[in-house]
């Protein structure tokens, strides 16, 4: 009956790592839509309501707002023709009460790409574990300031313009986002090699696997 169906859905949600929460707006979240339609948290802004709650994490997928599912298979195709999954998610959030915004997220815990960055000047290689799809490498590195010292990878600009964070991808290129035109232009301007990517513009697109990189040599 209906009760059994509800219990089955609850079990499925628990197994998937779904977490329901109620937050006050403005949430202080930056959301991003991945190529497969999933909407994920790419930034939790400091001193925001979401940060204060301690409940939202980088890489969490927004699966419902209120009682409305926002997963790709729950949004009618004709609706997607009018707006993106991200647009629908933001619209549903805007319709939630200011002090009672209910969202459901799917945790990225237990999954994620592992990135190894070659140590600089004889230092040990460093590891970033659990990289969630859609969250750029810069976000993870700035959360651990010691990584820059150990790898020589630094961030000097707003986004993909200075080239100081260029690294050569040695393994796992297929697990990573594709470079956009701005990144390609910057890599060309610094004379980086064909395997180079900018860590500030690079994120995982897979939910598991290993990537290995090292700081790129510049010829300009």
């Amino acid at each position: 009956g209906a009760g059994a169906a509800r219990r089955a859905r609850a079990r499925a949600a628990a197994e998937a790592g779904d977490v329901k929460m109620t937050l006050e707006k403005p949430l202080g979240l930056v959301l991003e839509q991945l190529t497969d339609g999933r909407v994920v948290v790419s930034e939790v802004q400091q001193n925001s309501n979401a940060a204060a709650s301690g409940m939202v994490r980088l890489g969490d997928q927004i699966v419902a707002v209120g009682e409305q599912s926002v997963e790709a298979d729950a949004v009618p195709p004709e609706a997607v023709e009018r707006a993106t999954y991200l647009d629908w998610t933001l619209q549903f959030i805007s319709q939630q009460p200011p002090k009672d915004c209910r969202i459901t997220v799917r945790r990225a815990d237990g999954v994620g790409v592992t990135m190894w960055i070659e140590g600089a000047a004889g230092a040990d290689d460093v590891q970033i574990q659990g990289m969630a799809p859609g969250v750029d490498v810069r976000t993870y590195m700035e959360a651990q300031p010691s990584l820059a010292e150990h790898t020589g990878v630094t961030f000097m600009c707003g986004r993909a313009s200075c080239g100081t964070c260029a690294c050569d991808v040695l393994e796992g290129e297929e697990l990573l986002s594709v470079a956009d035109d701005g990144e390609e232009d910057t890599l060309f301007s610094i004379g980086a090699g064909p395997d180079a990517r900018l860590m500030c513009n690079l994120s995982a697109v897979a939910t598991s696997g290993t990537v290995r990189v090292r700081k790129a040599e510049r010829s300009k």
Side-chain angles (χ1 to χ4, degrees):
R6 283 195 298 272
R7 288 191 293 273
R9 287 195 296 271
R11 284 195 299 272
E15 291 170 0
D18 290 2
V19 179
K20 293 184 177 182
M21 60 190 71
T22 300
L23 302 172
E24 185 174 342
K25 296 195 293 187
L27 303 181
L29 297 176
V30 178
L31 305 181
E32 180 175 341
Q33 179 177 315
L34 304 183
T35 54
D36 61 5
R38 286 178 296 152
V39 176
V40 300
V41 177
S42 60
E43 181 182 347
V44 180
Q45 296 175 336
Q46 291 185 347
N47 303 317
S48 65
N49 290 321
S53 76
M55 297 184 69
V56 190
R57 305 175 189 174
L58 289 177
D60 281 353
Q61 177 191 353
I62 309 296
V63 295
V65 179
E67 299 301 320
Q68 175 64 53
S69 172
V70 293
E71 292 191 79
D73 59 359
V75 180
E78 60 272 18
V80 180
E81 292 177 1
R82 300 195 304 271
T84 65
Y85 297 109
L86 177 59
D87 291 334
W88 285 112
T89 301
L90 294 175
Q91 177 177 320
F92 293 137
I93 289 174
S94 72
Q95 295 169 351
Q96 287 284 294
K99 295 185 178 298
D100 187 30
C101 179
R102 293 179 296 124
I103 64 173
T104 303
V105 304
R106 181 161 297 154
R107 289 283 186 237
D109 290 353
V111 299
V113 167
T114 297
M115 173 175 281
W116 286 94
I117 307 176
E118 189 174 291
D124 292 338
D125 295 352
V126 300
Q127 183 184 43
I128 301 174
Q129 292 183 310
M131 283 177 51
V135 182
D136 62 55
V137 178
R138 176 177 185 161
T139 298
Y140 289 101
M141 292 194 68
E142 290 187 337
Q144 304 176 65
S146 63
L147 294 184
E149 178 182 350
H150 285 87
T151 63
V153 178
T154 58
F155 303 94
M156 304 295 291
C157 67
R159 173 73 66 173
S161 60
C162 70
T164 59
C165 65
C167 286
D168 290 325
V169 179
L170 309 177
E171 177 186 338
E173 178 184 7
E174 70 281 1
L175 307 177
L176 303 171
S177 58
V178 177
D180 56 26
D181 291 343
E183 179 180 353
E184 293 281 9
D185 290 345
T186 298
L187 291 170
F188 177 79
S189 71
I190 65 173
D195 298 322
R197 293 296 308 275
L198 298 180
M199 296 296 100
C200 66
N201 202 47
L202 182 67
S203 62
V205 295
T207 56
S208 63
T210 299
V211 174
R212 297 183 185 276
V213 304
R214 68 180 171 212
K215 185 171 175 60
E217 297 291 334
R218 300 173 54 146
S219 63
K220 297 180 183 179

